[in-house]
Amino acid sequence: AVVSTQSTGQQERYKDRMSVVDKMRNETQYLITLVKQLTPFIHNYKAVSDKIHPKLGTSSSAGPDDQSLDNMNQIIQTIKEIQPDSDQRIAAIAQAEREKSETKKSKSSLEEDLLKQKGKLRSVVSSSEDLSLL
C-alpha cells in the first residue's frame, strides 16, 4: 500500500510537471508566432524612419545617450518652429476672413456696377426698339 501511494504521488507530480511543460510550449509557440508577425512591421518601420530622419541614425538599445537626447531636442525645436502657436493661428484666420470679406465687397460692388450697366443697356435697347416701332 505504501508503494502504490508513492507511485500515485509521483504520477500526480509528473502530470503536473507535464501540464506546466505543455503550457510553456504553447506560450513559446504563441510568442514565436507573434515575433514572426511583428518582424516585417518592425523592419518596415525602421526603414521608413531611417528615410524620414536619416540624421538620427541607429539608436542604441541601452537607452538614450546624450546625442540621442540632442537629436530629440532638435526635432522638438523644429516642430515648434514649424507649427505656429494659437495666437499666430488666430491672426492668420482673422486675416483670411478680412481678405474674404474684402473680396466679397469688391465682388458685390462689381455686381452692382454690372447691374447698373445692364439696366442702362436695357433702357437703351428698349428705347431703340420703341424708336424702331415708330
Side-chain angles (χ1 to χ4, degrees):
V2 173
V3 175
S4 67
T5 23
Q6 285 180 349
S7 65
T8 305
Q10 287 177 345
Q11 287 177 353
E12 287 178 13
R13 278 186 264 144
Y14 177 78
K15 286 180 183 179
D16 289 341
R17 288 181 183 164
M18 287 304 293
S19 158
V20 169
V21 168
D22 283 341
K23 285 179 185 177
M24 291 177 83
R25 205 178 273 151
N26 290 337
E27 287 178 16
T28 304
Q29 189 60 40
Y30 173 75
L31 290 174
I32 289 171
T33 303
L34 188 65
V35 167
K36 284 180 182 178
Q37 291 174 351
L38 287 177
T39 300
F41 172 77
I42 292 168
H43 289 293
N44 188 27
Y45 178 80
K46 184 182 179 325
V48 169
S49 66
D50 287 346
K51 286 180 183 177
I52 293 173
H53 304 289
K55 63 182 176 183
L56 289 179
T58 58
S59 61
S60 64
S61 60
D65 57 355
D66 288 340
Q67 186 174 356
S68 297
L69 291 175
D70 288 342
N71 287 339
M72 283 190 262
N73 287 331
Q74 287 175 353
I75 291 169
I76 290 170
Q77 186 61 33
T78 303
I79 290 171
K80 285 181 181 177
E81 290 171 1
I82 291 173
Q83 294 181 346
D85 61 8
S86 62
D87 292 337
Q88 289 175 329
R89 289 179 184 168
I90 291 169
I93 290 170
Q95 177 66 27
E97 288 176 351
R98 280 194 298 271
E99 290 173 0
K100 186 177 179 181
S101 70
E102 289 173 8
T103 304
K104 201 174 201 180
K105 285 179 185 177
S106 67
K107 281 185 181 179
S108 63
S109 65
L110 247 173
E111 288 174 355
E112 288 176 16
D113 291 342
L114 285 174
L115 288 174
K116 287 179 185 177
Q117 292 297 327
K118 190 176 179 180
K120 287 179 183 177
L121 285 174
R122 282 187 182 162
S123 65
V124 170
V125 169
S126 65
S127 64
S128 67
E129 287 176 356
D130 289 342
L131 289 175
S132 66
L133 290 175
L134 292 176

